[in-house]
Amino acid sequence: MTGDVTIGCHQCENCLRGLYNLCLSKTEVGLCRGKDGAFAEYLTMPARHAYRIPDELSFEEAACVEPAATVVKAINKARFEPGAVCAILGDGPIGLLALQAADACGAGMLILTGTIDERLDMGRQLGADVTVNVRSQDLRRIVDELTGGVGVDFVMEASGSIDAVRQAVDIARMGGTVSVVGLYEHNVPELDLGNIVVRDLNLITSVASPTPSSRRSG
Ligand SMILES: [Zn+2]
């Protein structure tokens, strides 16, 4: 089995609309009713949030289903267009899954940023055309060189770094899309909303991914 991270109450307004990821009294696996989380050998969770996995899917692959669903939902929400020049900011699991999702959706060019060379190497194996270690390389300069100063069509901020949020806005082309899926410990100070407006950016956020009831199997 695999399962949701977000456990909805299925009684509130958002749950009744199918948006249990936005449940007004949601809890999460590991927090739900004080039970064990998914690092325990066994755990209990509501059946409606558990999903049978097909025999051909390994446990390792099944463990990636929920985060993969999260990035696919974010890309769909952002109305990703094939051929888009993309930048994925963040070389963690979400960033590497977003990279593969954007590739599968027909990205024209894929740029991956991060801070860990081994993960960036993995990103190249997974489809990144260009990788940028933001600790030692100038992302804006590289994007300008690659795009003739225009900027990228689609940028997903998946690192949770406040600096990366500013970078995401900075490297998007006018009229481009900035999708924010990172989770932030602190508020992002001094994000220039005026600059976002006059450059006609599509600023879109996304959190988790509710599974339509028609697709549940568990
Ligand atoms: Zn609810």
Side-chain angles (χ1 to χ4, degrees):
M1 305 288 279
T2 187
D4 290 312
V5 171
T6 305
I7 307 297
C9 71
H10 301 282
Q11 296 177 348
C12 74
E13 180 181 338
N14 288 344
C15 279
L16 293 176
R17 293 168 60 204
L19 302 174
Y20 62 82
N21 57 320
L22 304 178
C23 173
L24 299 175
S25 57
K26 72 180 179 185
T27 185
E28 295 178 351
V29 173
L31 301 176
C32 181
R33 302 172 194 161
K35 303 292 175 104
D36 283 333
F39 279 107
E41 187 172 3
Y42 297 99
L43 64 88
T44 59
M45 64 187 300
R48 67 194 307 168
H49 288 286
Y51 308 91
R52 297 184 198 284
I53 58 173
D55 292 339
E56 60 268 27
L57 206 64
S58 69
F59 287 151
E60 288 80 6
E61 290 168 327
C64 293
V65 167
E66 190 279 335
T70 295
V71 298
V72 169
K73 177 242 186 179
I75 283 179
N76 286 336
K77 186 176 179 183
R79 298 182 180 176
F80 183 91
E81 294 184 358
V85 175
C86 297
I88 307 295
L89 310 190
D91 55 10
I94 294 293
L96 293 174
L97 286 165
L99 177 81
Q100 295 170 82
D103 193 22
C105 289
M109 181 195 292
L110 273 168
I111 303 164
L112 175 70
T113 77
T115 59
I116 301 173
D117 286 335
E118 289 78 8
R119 290 186 179 180
L120 293 171
D121 289 343
M122 182 179 289
R124 274 193 290 278
Q125 294 171 27
L126 294 173
D129 299 301
V130 178
T131 57
V132 180
N133 188 324
V134 293
R135 289 216 166 119
S136 57
Q137 294 175 281
D138 184 338
L139 175 62
R140 173 64 188 269
R141 185 179 62 76
I142 292 170
V143 167
D144 280 347
E145 287 174 0
L146 290 170
T147 65
V150 172
V152 301
D153 301 309
F154 176 91
V155 51
M156 178 177 285
E157 200 312 278
S159 74
S161 158
I162 289 173
D163 286 341
V165 178
R166 293 198 193 88
Q167 283 181 328
V169 170
D170 192 39
I171 64 171
R173 70 162 168 80
M174 295 180 79
T177 295
V178 177
S179 168
V180 181
V181 301
L183 298 174
Y184 305 92
E185 193 172 350
H186 305 290
N187 287 333
V188 180
E190 298 176 11
L191 189 62
D192 188 348
L193 190 58
N195 177 40
I196 292 170
V197 173
V198 299
R199 289 172 55 223
D200 199 18
L201 298 183
N202 304 300
L203 181 60
I204 299 174
T205 66
S206 184
V207 64
S209 175
T211 304
S213 57
S214 61
R215 293 191 190 168
R216 293 195 192 135
S217 60

